[in-house]
């Protein structure tokens, strides 16, 4: 069966450097056909031009601080059968689109969510979850790595994360796309709830994986310390007005305030915030909750057909995954070798082991190389023992096996 044409939408604001890394991963997908749409402020548009991509992707200027509007603008020019979304502080594995789109072979599936990896490049930040009418989340039990279609109980929806999700365009258009009343936060959850109420099926694809860096923004620092809670409060209020029975809203808001207060106190204890910051942020949360009561909740009209034809992107990847591995003292030579291979269109994984028990980390370099570093006897999976006796070859083969399915590494490696 032919793979569906995919439109990948990236919304970016104030993150030119981070966007460049996102695009470095996105232009190396082991997939066809796909198009790339960047909805961004001036800094983001400049990044697209600096990477010589202005004629190869659809770059749409948009600087308003409203992610729902930005996503809808991206959808308006998206001509793919499937529309995928990726944040500008995330980097997709090279097989991301292949695994994310596979469940759409079932005509009953309207949406698909993948797994999100945290900053160390190994541990999962988000896997499978459901969300209910009060914005409460619960983990879903998904065994193995095969895609699975899920039907949660009434009042819940399968949660797709905004940084790793895809929708059948016809179904997304029919429910009206994203609600502009959500400037930030819960915009994806609201869409999940509307699809669930319409009886649509959502699947989870565990091998559709992206790495999420949590880049700084006006709402949080790089250390995830909050800078402003206004939009979180406003979006929660909108969500409750959309989905939660009125009699239950006050209790939900009280619990949310308590949870946010506990969060702020934790950052106060660790030195991320000062007492005056806690007071300011708490006040901003209350201001946002009040503002959310005043936002007009429109009936969302069906989205129109795309205004532009499909613009297929020719992936920079032309060859299957390849592996380079060596000792820490060989790092400079091996990095140069890996960068050359990546420039030739190879999905290149570089493993550098040092003679110790350091925990492993994974990142994609600006040259497009997936680099994993750590101790020969150290942890990669955080559930591993602190110390695992092994040889260099056994450790290399173990780490290759861990990532082969998402990295596109042939079995013979």
């Amino acid at each position: 069966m032919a793979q569906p044409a995919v439109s990948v939408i990236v919304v970016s604001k104030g993150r030119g450097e981070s966007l460049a890394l996102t695009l470095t991963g996105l232009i190396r997908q082991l997939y066809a056909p796909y198009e790339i749409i960047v909805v961004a402020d001036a800094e983001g548009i400049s990044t697209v031009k600096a990477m010589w991509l202005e004629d190869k992707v659809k770059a749409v200027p948009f600087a308003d601080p409203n992610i729902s509007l930005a996503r809808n603008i991206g959808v308006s020019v998206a001509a793919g059968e499937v529309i995928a979304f990726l944040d500008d502080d995330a980097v997709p594995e090279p097989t991301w689109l292949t695994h994310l789109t596979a469940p759409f072979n079932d005509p009953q599936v309207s949406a698909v969510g993948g797994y999100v990896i945290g900053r160390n490049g190994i541990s999962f930040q988000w896997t499978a979850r459901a969300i209910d009418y009060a914005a409460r989340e619960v983990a879903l039990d998904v065994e193995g790595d095969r895609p699975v279609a899920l039907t949660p109980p009434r009042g819940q929806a399968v949660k797709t994360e905004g940084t790793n999700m895809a929708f059948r365009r016809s179904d997304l258009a029919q429910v009206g796309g994203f609600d502009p009343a959500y400037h930030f936060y819960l915009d994806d959850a609201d869409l999940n709830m509307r699809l669930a109420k319409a009886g649509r099926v959502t699947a989870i694809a565990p091998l559709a994986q992206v790495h999420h860096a949590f880049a700084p923004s006006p709402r949080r620092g790089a250390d995830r310390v909050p800078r402003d809670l206004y939009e979180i409060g406003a979006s929660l209020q909108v969500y409750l007005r959309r989905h939660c029975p009125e009699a239950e809203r006050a209790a939900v808001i009280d619990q949310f305030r308590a949870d946010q207060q506990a969060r702020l106190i934790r950052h106060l204890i660790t030195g991320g915030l000062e007492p005056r910051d806690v007071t300011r942020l708490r006040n901003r949360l209350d201001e946002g909750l009040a503002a959310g009561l005043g936002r007009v909740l429109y009936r969302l009209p069906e989205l129109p057909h795309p205004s532009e034809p499909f613009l297929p992107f020719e992936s920079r990847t032309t060859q299957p995954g390849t592996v380079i591995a060596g000792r820490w003292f060989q790092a400079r030579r091996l990095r140069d070798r890996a960068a050359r291979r990546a420039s030739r269109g190879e999905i290149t994984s570089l493993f550098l082991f040092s003679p110790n028990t350091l925990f492993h980390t994974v990142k994609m370099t600006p040259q497009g190389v997936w680099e994993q570093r750590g101790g020969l006897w150290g942890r990669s999976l955080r559930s591993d023992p602190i110390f695992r006796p092994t040889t260099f070859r056994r450790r290399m083969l173990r780490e290759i096996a861990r990532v082969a399915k998402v990295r596109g590494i042939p079995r013979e490696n």
Side-chain angles (χ1 to χ4, degrees), residues 63-396:
D64 292 357
N66 187 318
I67 195 168
S68 294
L69 275 177
R71 283 176 170 160
N72 284 345
I73 288 172
V75 174
S76 72
V77 301
E81 177 187 346
V82 170
I83 301 181
F85 293 89
L86 182 70
D87 283 354
D88 63 349
D89 59 353
V91 180
E93 287 281 0
T95 61
W96 173 59
L97 285 179
T98 300
H99 294 299
L100 191 65
T101 60
F104 289 108
N105 289 331
D106 180 350
Q108 300 300 314
V109 171
S110 293
V112 180
Y115 282 8
V116 180
I117 299 170
R119 282 183 173 178
N120 63 32
I122 296 172
S123 303
F124 287 120
Q125 189 179 88
W126 295 307
T127 53
R129 295 184 291 174
I131 192 164
D132 71 1
Y133 61 85
R136 295 174 296 222
E137 297 183 4
V138 59
L140 296 174
D141 186 17
V142 174
E143 295 184 0
D145 56 21
R146 295 178 63 86
V148 57
L150 300 169
T151 305
R154 184 178 178 85
Q156 292 185 6
V158 178
K159 178 74 165 62
T160 60
E161 299 301 332
T163 191
N164 185 4
M165 61 185 183
F167 302 90
R168 200 179 297 276
R169 192 191 197 283
S170 57
D171 293 335
L172 179 62
Q174 192 170 19
V175 299
F178 295 88
D179 187 346
Y182 300 91
H183 297 187
F184 163 76
Y185 185 63
L186 293 175
D187 57 310
D188 45 8
D190 170 75
L191 176 56
N192 297 148
M193 288 293 290
R194 284 185 281 124
L195 286 170
K197 290 176 180 178
R200 307 297 168 79
V201 175
T202 296
I204 295 295
L207 291 177
Q209 297 179 11
V210 305
H211 296 246
H212 189 214
F214 270 121
S217 73
R219 295 174 297 275
R220 66 166 185 256
D223 54 3
R224 300 183 67 179
V225 173
R227 293 174 174 173
D228 193 9
L229 298 179
Y230 180 89
E231 283 301 338
I232 288 179
S235 290
L236 175 66
Q237 192 71 266
V238 170
Y239 186 89
L240 297 179
R241 291 170 62 199
R242 284 288 197 194
H243 304 291
C244 185
E246 187 172 1
E248 299 184 37
R249 294 175 193 169
V252 173
I253 289 173
D254 286 344
Q255 182 61 54
F256 187 76
R257 281 196 180 103
D259 292 342
Q260 292 300 312
Q261 175 73 3
R263 174 191 177 198
L264 297 178
I265 293 302
R266 287 195 298 271
H267 286 300
L268 178 67
I269 292 172
T270 58
L273 294 173
E274 297 184 7
R276 64 175 180 270
D277 297 321
V278 173
T279 300
R280 176 183 60 82
L281 289 167
R282 193 168 49 205
N283 290 340
R284 288 290 287 169
L285 175 62
D286 287 340
E287 290 170 7
L289 288 165
L293 286 172
R295 289 188 179 171
V296 179
L297 304 185
Y298 296 103
R299 181 181 178 277
L300 301 177
E302 184 170 345
L303 298 180
H305 294 295
S307 61
E308 298 183 14
F310 192 78
L311 181 61
F313 184 84
E314 186 176 349
S315 176
R316 300 289 172 82
T317 295
T318 58
Q319 301 180 53
T322 187
V323 171
I324 298 174
R327 315 281 183 169
W328 61 274
F329 56 84
Q330 301 170 307
R332 177 177 294 182
R333 176 173 60 83
L334 294 180
R335 283 175 177 145
D336 289 343
R337 181 181 167 195
R340 288 195 299 271
R341 287 196 175 185
S343 69
R344 296 198 299 262
E346 299 181 33
I347 294 295
T348 307
S349 296
L350 171 62
F351 298 92
L352 295 172
F353 301 140
S354 51
N356 50 46
T357 58
L358 288 176
F359 288 9
H360 287 227
T361 60
V362 177
K363 66 176 182 178
M364 193 188 69
T365 71
Q367 293 76 34
V369 175
W370 290 95
E371 181 176 310
Q372 178 170 334
R373 291 182 292 173
L376 179 62
W377 310 294
R379 286 179 173 173
S380 53
L381 297 175
R382 277 15 184 199
S383 57
D384 286 346
I386 291 288
F387 176 82
R388 181 193 291 268
T390 189
T391 64
F392 182 94
R393 178 171 173 76
R394 284 204 301 265
R395 185 58 192 260
M396 178 187 71

Side-chain angles (χ1 to χ4, degrees), residues 32-51:
Y34 72 108
E35 67 175 358
I36 299 172
I37 300 165
V38 179
V39 183
D41 60 2
E43 182 178 351
I45 299 299
S46 294
T47 297
V48 171
K49 293 179 179 178
M51 296 180 70

